[in-house]
Amino acid sequence: MLPVMTTALSGALAYQATLDEVAHNLANLSTPAFRPTRLALAEAAEGGVIPAARRLSARPGPLAETGAPFDMALPGPGFFRVRLPDGNYAYTRRGDFRVDGTGRLVTHGGLPLDPEIRIPPDRRVEVRPDGTVVTFGPDGAEAVLGRLEVFTFDRPENLVPLGGGLFREPAGETGLTGLAGPAQPQAVVTGYLEMSAVDLTGEFARLIQAQRAYVLNLNIIRDQDRLLGEAIELARG
Amino acid sequence: MIRGLYTAISQLDAQLRRQELLAHNLANIGTPGFKQTLLAQAERARLGLWRLGDPALILPVGPLGTGTALEPAAIDLNPGPLVETGEPLDLAVDGPGFFVVQRPDGPAYTRDGTFFVDAEGFLTTAAGDRVLGEDGPIRVGNSDFSVASDGTIFVGEAAVGRLRLADLSGAPGLIRVGDNLLRPADPAFQPPQAGGEVRQGVIEESNVNLTETVAQLLVAMRAYQAAQRLVLLADSTLDRAIQQLGRWD
């Protein structure tokens, strides 16, 4: 009876992990630029099932108009680069930027963009489609403040999520270095945000399936326990 | 009476094994491309009883049952439902073919098309085994790829390989390797090329039938309980034989 219990336990654990993942995906239904992940389950040779690997969705979310001057979306597959407090780089597609107290353009979490862009106070600022940020003086003279660089990855689905829509390059894997692309005429769309790529219907279907499978495996454990208890009772005579 | 004990125990063994296999099917109800184990049980060979003694009077007494056993498990190769995911790295075969992957100890076969791309640009399974094309492992490199229905993989306009699809239906027996892989029990068996349409952005779900499997599991548990009672019954009969019949005052 015990192999049945360990098999059912492996099932309960695998579907628990799936439920956790689906819950995380659903919780980020309205997080800009969020990409859902999917846990791949694999049959275990010794019986049961194990979570084998996790894959980030390769599908971008839809773009939605917000009209905010520092909301930016990337129509291509690239990423913005930010600098973490520890000096390392992280990458994000989430473009709801704001200007912090020191005038830097930062993410919603307050991380400065890299290369850094400083916005002078009380000036009209415009972000061009190629990513160039320009400002206008009182006399209408145009001054370039910098360019939003878009970094592309060979295999974005292998990036390691850090939370908060940030990703880092996986350690020790070649071909996964962020490369600053050449200036492109349509790199950035201003006044738009990339919405969450979570597919509500699909995630709900997975939720129901995983929940049913979880309960089912737990019931097997409970029934086996009962059977074992009865066997012990019978043997007592 | 002792014989009855062994008959009941043969049923305990069979039903326990049955529960293990059914629990394995149910644990893999959410595993893409999983192929369920089919169970069949059969009576063990009956023995003939003959009356011996006077050579002229050797007469048959009748048959004697010796219990039951599970037959070697077969793997159900019927396809699971195909589900649209829209993910470019999800592939499924609409038809009988299996994907072929490279393991250190030779090729193995799977219907699970949840693929990844490794650091060197090769298409792999979730466990990291490379997927084989007709000319060896398929390297999609660092770009997006598309898959034609005949299994040819295109990166841009260039074909980088064609997925090998194997037909396992003729294999005399299949064994489970783990990681959603199957392999013919006879290593000399070379699966022929299989037909089938490869679809991108689609995944094949497990072919476990939930309702049927749960019902079978309940039956197996009850049969196990019944066999337990039979053991007890045989035991108490033996007890009576020893304690009561064997006593003289």
Side-chain angles (χ1 to χ4, degrees):
Chain A
M1 256 169 294
L2 291 176
V4 183
M5 277 208 184
T6 49
T7 301
L9 181 63
S10 79
L13 291 175
Y15 297 111
Q16 171 74 69
T18 310
L19 281 174
D20 289 348
E21 183 184 57
V22 173
H24 182 70
N25 288 345
L26 283 174
N28 286 291
L29 189 61
S30 51
T31 307
F34 179 80
R35 295 279 180 100
T37 51
R38 201 176 75 210
L39 191 63
L41 299 182
E43 179 190 7
E46 61 275 17
V49 61
I50 41 163
R54 198 178 291 272
R55 201 177 64 194
L56 193 67
S57 171
R59 285 180 304 160
L63 302 190
E65 188 171 3
T66 63
F70 294 124
D71 276 355
M72 288 164 226
L74 299 171
F79 287 77
F80 297 111
R81 185 166 74 177
V82 299
R83 195 177 272 285
L84 298 173
D86 64 4
N88 287 323
Y89 291 128
Y91 299 85
T92 185
R93 284 181 62 85
R94 183 167 173 173
D96 50 342
F97 299 129
R98 59 185 171 85
V99 181
D100 74 355
T102 61
R104 294 178 305 179
L105 204 56
V106 295
T107 65
H108 74 288
L111 295 169
L113 280 167
D114 188 282
E116 209 172 89
I117 291 170
R118 285 184 179 275
I119 307 288
D122 308 325
R123 287 280 184 84
R124 195 161 74 79
V125 175
E126 192 183 302
V127 183
R128 301 257 162 88
D130 67 349
T132 314
V133 186
V134 294
T135 182
F136 303 93
D139 53 351
E142 194 179 300
V144 174
L145 295 172
R147 191 167 76 86
L148 289 164
E149 286 203 54
V150 179
F151 293 81
T152 53
F153 289 91
D154 298 336
R155 283 282 152 210
E157 65 270 15
N158 290 358
L159 287 170
V160 182
L162 296 174
L166 299 173
F167 296 90
R168 67 169 174 79
E169 299 160 2
E173 279 197 49
T174 52
L176 274 162
T177 315
L179 295 173
Q184 286 186 356
Q186 274 298 337
V188 179
V189 189
T190 311
Y192 281 81
L193 271 186
E194 180 180 333
M195 296 285 99
S196 172
V198 173
D199 162 23
L200 184 64
T201 347
E203 291 292 337
F204 262 113
R206 277 181 70 205
L207 179 74
I208 292 165
Q209 279 183 346
Q211 197 210 357
R212 291 263 181 251
Y214 176 70
V215 172
L216 184 64
N217 280 280
L218 281 189
N219 283 348
I220 294 174
I221 296 175
R222 189 201 57 204
D223 291 348
Q224 287 294 312
D225 178 54
R226 201 174 288 164
L227 208 58
L228 205 58
E230 274 177 29
I232 294 166
E233 281 299 311
L234 281 176
R236 201 185 283 166
Chain B
M1 268 169 295
I2 304 249
R3 198 175 287 129
L5 204 56
Y6 285 115
T7 305
I9 286 171
S10 77
Q11 169 74 332
L12 282 180
D13 279 348
Q15 295 303 331
L16 189 58
R17 181 79 189 122
R18 182 182 276 265
Q19 288 174 62
E20 281 172 33
L21 294 172
L22 289 169
H24 183 68
N25 283 349
L26 284 176
N28 284 290
I29 197 147
T31 306
F34 178 76
K35 296 292 159 214
Q36 66 175 347
T37 299
L38 292 178
L39 300 169
Q41 196 167 351
E43 185 186 21
R44 276 198 200 147
R46 285 186 181 215
L47 303 178
L49 279 185
W50 292 77
R51 175 173 173 261
L52 300 178
D54 182 348
L57 286 170
I58 295 182
L59 292 170
V61 177
L64 177 69
T66 56
T68 178
L70 272 194
E71 290 188 337
I75 292 177
D76 177 9
L77 294 183
N78 280 320
L82 298 184
V83 175
E84 196 104 10
T85 65
E87 293 291 335
L89 281 171
D90 283 343
L91 302 184
V93 186
D94 196 351
F98 276 69
F99 297 115
V100 187
V101 308
Q102 191 176 42
R103 295 279 277 193
D105 51 351
Y109 306 88
T110 185
R111 291 277 289 187
D112 176 12
T114 315
F115 291 142
F116 289 71
V117 176
D118 69 9
E120 289 165 59
F122 286 100
L123 201 62
T124 72
T125 62
D129 298 315
R130 285 179 181 167
V131 181
L132 289 175
E134 281 166 356
D135 311 307
I138 289 183
R139 188 170 193 170
V140 292
N142 297 321
S143 324
D144 288 337
F145 62 91
S146 62
V147 184
S149 62
D150 67 347
T152 311
I153 295 187
F154 292 93
V155 172
E157 295 291 304
V160 294
R162 187 168 166 216
L163 285 164
R164 227 173 103 189
L165 294 180
D167 184 358
L168 294 184
S169 58
L174 291 169
I175 49 173
R176 298 182 180 277
V177 187
D179 298 329
N180 298 348
L181 298 172
L182 298 176
R183 189 175 266 170
D186 174 11
F189 178 79
Q190 291 293 336
Q193 171 85 27
E197 202 174 295
V198 179
R199 291 172 61 184
Q200 193 174 19
V202 175
I203 215 79
E204 177 179 338
E205 291 192 334
S206 167
N207 76 344
V208 175
N209 179 332
L210 176 66
T211 330
E212 199 177 302
T213 313
V214 170
Q216 283 182 9
L217 186 61
L218 290 177
V219 170
M221 283 172 54
R222 290 296 176 206
Y224 187 86
Q225 282 176 312
Q228 277 180 337
R229 307 256 166 189
L230 277 179
V231 172
L232 275 191
L233 202 65
D235 179 55
S236 67
T237 315
L238 265 177
D239 180 61
R240 211 163 292 165
I242 295 164
Q243 299 292 334
Q244 294 177 10
L245 282 179
R247 181 162 59 190
W248 63 90
D249 297 319

